Amino acid sequence: LQWLKNPGPQHEKRTLFGDMVCFLFITPLATISGWLCLRGAVDHLHFSSRLEAVGLIALTVALFTIYLFWTLVSFRYHCRLYNEWRRTNQRVILLIPKSANIPSNQQSLLGLQSLKRNSKETIV
């Protein structure tokens, strides 16, 4: 969620949302199309030409191969972008322990800074 809130490049976010929308539309369409092709192939095997059945089976295999290829390439692209973002957008806070040498007003400031810590920051 931090990546989506980050005011970084909007192109990457639009690409992710576009791919998610395409995935939500293409998945049911590919499933229905593959089922119809296989159903037609079974009907052609029982009632008519084997050549048409083989063609429908080949069409189904091509359809699912293209669908899986697009899904894997898209997933790999977005994982690579996310890993690159994680590598370049790290927030680290250095906590200084309270000691007797620091005046009390500076200790209270240090205490306030540690309370303002966000969950996305790493404590070292």
Side-chain angles (χ1 to χ4, degrees), residues 74-91:
S74 178
F75 184 73
R76 183 174 176 231
Y77 171 74
H78 292 295
C79 285
R80 187 179 53 112
L81 283 180
Y82 175 71
N83 287 332
E84 182 179 324
W85 175 83
R86 275 187 40 193
R87 190 172 34 84
T88 59
N89 290 293
Q90 296 180 10
R91 293 187 64 173

Side-chain angles (χ1 to χ4, degrees), residues 93-116:
I93 293 178
L94 181 60
L95 294 179
I96 301 171
K98 296 179 182 181
S99 83
N101 298 335
I102 299 175
S104 63
N105 62 348
Q106 288 182 351
Q107 283 182 353
S108 63
L109 288 175
L110 288 174
L112 286 176
Q113 288 175 351
S114 65
L115 290 176
K116 293 181 181 178

Side-chain angles (χ1 to χ4, degrees), residues 27-47:
T27 299
L29 291 175
T31 304
I32 292 168
S33 298
W35 181 79
L36 287 173
C37 284
L38 289 177
R39 186 75 186 140
V42 169
D43 289 344
H44 280 293
L45 280 174
H46 283 58
F47 301 114

Side-chain angles (χ1 to χ4, degrees), residues 3 5 12 16 21-22 25 28 37 41 45 51-52 55 69 71-73 75 79 83-85 92 101 118:
W3 179 75
K5 293 178 186 176
E12 295 171 359
L16 175 65
V21 168
C22 288
F25 282 118
C37 284
L45 280 174
L51 184 60
E52 291 177 9
F69 178 74
T71 303
L72 291 175
V73 167
F75 184 73
C79 285
N83 287 332
E84 182 179 324
W85 175 83
V92 177
N101 298 335
N118 291 334

